Amino acid sequence: MEESRVVLLGIMVEKTEAVPRVNGLLHEYADCIIGRMGIPYREKQINIISIVIDAPQRVISALSGKLGMIPGVSSKCLYAGKQK
């Protein structure tokens, strides 16, 4: 069985038209998502999303990579110190 990692994935959406694609991807990976918080920062026209994930490294990399390929979206992962 593959080891899982706990990750905080930060997502910045700077183009409103990217929101449906981001939500679609997060729906695809819903089984791995522990929690989600979204903050619309209207004054700056940015949507900020924090996702906590518990998944194998390959799944985390796939999601982060797919998010990064969406124009107007950037994401970064912060990994917990211990692997399980």
Side-chain angles (χ1 to χ4, degrees):
M1 183 173 215
E2 235 178 316
E3 293 183 11
S4 68
R5 303 283 312 261
V6 176
V7 174
L8 174 62
L9 177 60
I11 305 166
M12 299 283 249
V13 182
E14 298 184 60
K15 293 188 177 182
T16 305
E17 59 270 16
V19 170
R21 287 184 65 191
V22 170
N23 284 332
L25 271 175
L26 296 179
H27 180 74
E28 281 182 43
Y29 288 85
D31 291 346
C32 303
I33 295 175
I34 298 168
R36 172 181 175 171
M37 178 180 63
I39 303 169
Y41 191 5
R42 291 179 184 88
E43 292 82 15
K44 300 285 184 177
Q45 298 179 342
I46 298 172
N47 294 297
I48 304 156
I49 306 168
S50 298
I51 306 290
V52 179
I53 302 169
D54 186 357
Q57 181 62 48
R58 63 177 176 75
V59 173
I60 295 163
S61 295
L63 174 56
S64 183
K66 290 176 184 179
L67 286 166
M69 291 191 299
I70 301 172
V73 176
S74 56
S75 67
K76 293 285 182 184
C77 292
L78 177 64
Y79 291 85
K82 295 182 179 181
Q83 290 187 348
K84 294 184 179 182

